[in-house]
């Protein structure tokens, strides 16, 4: 097969700023999961929680983690509901720097399991989507120019995301006006991104194409770099997604990773 380009594209933080929706959904789901934790949470504290969730968004890899963050923020503010050993004196900066260590501790101390949290988060979103589609859609936004870049591209495109595929498809259709083929969306449950990239590069129809992977999480790109089998992928970190200035500076020192801004993204997908 001749030349051409294949793009594997993350969704949240590359195309869609879903932080408003995911934070509000997480608060709804956390209230269902731990009603006693929220008995003293008033509207002002809820608003503060949602504000902090925007700051903390870079640490989230998979949606269910939002629920844990919401509960942790409540425990930081209301000592009487504390069941974790880490909440006392914990700052927002501490969470940003140590989330990968805090996450397993919280899961253990709160006796939670990943699957039931994933399921609950999905059900709460489904319920909101079904009963208030315009409200659910309106809590998300596409980054300027990204929907057009998707529509106008002549390259082979795949969405590779930790979001559940049905929500990704709904947002592409309702918010971006793009009927993106569902078989080209690799969402939560399709395996780690490194495995998906390997599958894509091995497909017969993709032989001879130049491979590009565009992400907003530096940690994900580092995981790809650890896999020698994925050496053919060109790696990009977007400057507008859920990453920090510190991560962008670190990426700038890694020769294999290219930093990309919004105007260049639209040109890149061509």
């Amino acid at each position: 097969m001749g030349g051409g380009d294949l793009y594997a594209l993350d969704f949240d933080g590359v195309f869609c700023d879903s932080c408003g929706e995911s934070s509000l959904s997480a608060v709804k789901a956390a209230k269902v999961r731990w009603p006693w934790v929220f008995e003293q949470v008033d509207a002002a504290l809820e608003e503060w929680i949602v504000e902090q969730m925007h700051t903390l968004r870079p640490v989230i890899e998979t949606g269910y983690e939002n629920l844990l963050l919401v509960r942790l923020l409540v425990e930081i503010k209301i000592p009487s509901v504390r069941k974790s050993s880490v909440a006392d004196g914990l700052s927002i900066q501490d969470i940003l720097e140590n989330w990968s260590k805090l996450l397993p501790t919280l899961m253990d101390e709160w006796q939670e399991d990943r699957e039931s949290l994933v399921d609950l988060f999905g059900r709460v979103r489904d319920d909101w989507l079904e009963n208030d589609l315009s409200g659910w859609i309106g809590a998300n936004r596409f980054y300027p120019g990204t929907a057009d870049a998707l529509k106008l591209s002549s390259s082979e495109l795949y969405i590779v995301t930790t979001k559940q595929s049905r929500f990704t498809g709904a947002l592409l259709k309702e918010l971006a006006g793009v009927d993106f083929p569902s078989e080209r969306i690799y969402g939560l449950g399709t395996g780690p991104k490194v495995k998906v990239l390997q599958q894509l590069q091995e497909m017969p129809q993709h032989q001879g194409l130049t491979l590009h992977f565009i992400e907003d999480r530096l940690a994900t790109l580092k995981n790809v770099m650890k896999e020698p089998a994925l050496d053919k992928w060109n790696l990009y970190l977007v400057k507008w997604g859920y990453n920090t200035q510190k991560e962008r500076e670190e990426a700038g020192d890694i020769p294999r990773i290219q930093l990309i801004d919004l105007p260049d993204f639209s040109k890149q997908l061509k």
Side-chain angles (χ1 to χ4, degrees):
M1 189 172 173
D5 295 279
L6 180 150
Y7 285 91
L9 303 149
D10 183 34
F11 186 70
D12 288 318
V14 172
F15 288 104
C16 186
D17 179 3
S18 60
C19 195
E21 180 273 323
S22 61
S23 301
L24 292 168
S25 290
V27 171
K28 290 174 194 264
K31 285 178 177 175
V32 173
R33 188 72 169 180
W34 309 294
W36 68 93
V37 174
F38 286 83
E39 283 167 3
Q40 298 172 61
V41 175
D42 59 14
L45 180 51
E46 211 167 290
E47 200 173 306
W48 177 82
I49 289 168
V50 171
E51 274 173 26
Q52 304 315 307
M53 293 293 283
H54 281 81
T55 306
L56 292 169
R57 183 59 182 79
V59 304
I60 297 289
E61 183 173 8
T62 306
Y64 79 95
E65 295 172 41
N66 283 290
L67 276 77
L68 300 167
L69 275 178
V70 166
R71 177 170 172 180
L72 180 59
L73 289 169
V74 176
E75 289 203 5
I76 288 169
K77 285 289 192 184
I78 307 176
S80 62
V81 299
R82 266 180 210 157
K83 294 271 193 271
S84 71
S85 61
V86 298
D88 186 24
L90 197 68
S91 71
I92 298 301
Q93 192 58 37
D94 292 335
I95 300 173
L96 276 172
E97 290 173 6
N98 301 295
W99 181 240
S100 61
K101 297 187 190 84
L102 293 168
L103 174 61
T105 302
L106 296 173
M107 290 288 279
D108 182 49
E109 292 183 345
W110 293 339
Q111 298 182 302
E112 287 299 334
D113 70 283
R114 184 182 187 275
E115 286 313 308
S116 54
L117 291 175
V118 168
D119 180 58
L120 173 62
F121 197 44
R123 278 189 286 120
V124 166
R125 285 174 137 169
D126 278 332
D127 187 55
W128 187 3
L129 197 149
E130 194 176 320
N131 295 304
D132 177 21
L133 178 63
S134 62
W136 185 81
I137 294 293
N140 296 272
R141 70 180 183 98
F142 270 67
Y143 294 104
T146 56
D148 285 339
L150 200 57
K151 288 175 192 167
L152 299 171
S153 176
S154 57
S155 302
E156 292 285 318
L157 305 183
Y158 290 83
I159 304 282
V160 181
T161 177
T162 54
K163 198 185 197 77
Q164 287 165 310
S165 298
R166 63 186 184 275
F167 302 123
T168 305
L171 287 166
L172 284 164
K173 187 175 182 180
E174 302 292 340
L175 202 54
V178 178
D179 266 318
F180 199 81
S182 59
E183 67 275 10
R184 286 178 175 251
I185 301 174
Y186 287 79
L188 186 66
T190 54
K193 290 187 179 185
V194 288
K195 297 290 182 211
V196 174
L197 295 183
Q198 197 150 0
Q199 283 175 15
L200 290 175
Q201 77 179 23
E202 288 169 2
M203 290 178 183
Q205 68 269 35
H206 297 154
Q207 302 314 302
L209 297 183
T210 304
L211 306 173
H212 310 271
F213 179 43
I214 301 184
E215 248 291 342
D216 73 312
R217 292 192 80 245
L218 180 58
T220 305
L221 295 176
K222 285 180 168 178
N223 284 340
V224 173
M225 289 171 63
K226 289 177 194 164
E227 297 287 336
L230 301 177
D231 281 350
K232 291 177 185 170
W233 287 87
N234 295 291
L235 304 180
Y236 307 83
L237 183 76
V238 302
K239 291 182 179 180
W240 62 89
Y242 306 131
N243 50 50
T244 62
Q245 181 62 35
K246 187 178 169 187
E247 287 168 331
R248 291 190 287 276
E249 286 168 8
E250 186 184 340
D253 292 330
I254 301 172
R256 191 168 163 200
I257 297 175
Q258 299 176 55
L259 285 162
I260 187 168
D261 60 22
L262 265 171
D264 287 338
F265 177 72
S266 298
K267 289 180 203 154
Q268 181 85 29
L269 288 194
K270 55 186 179 295

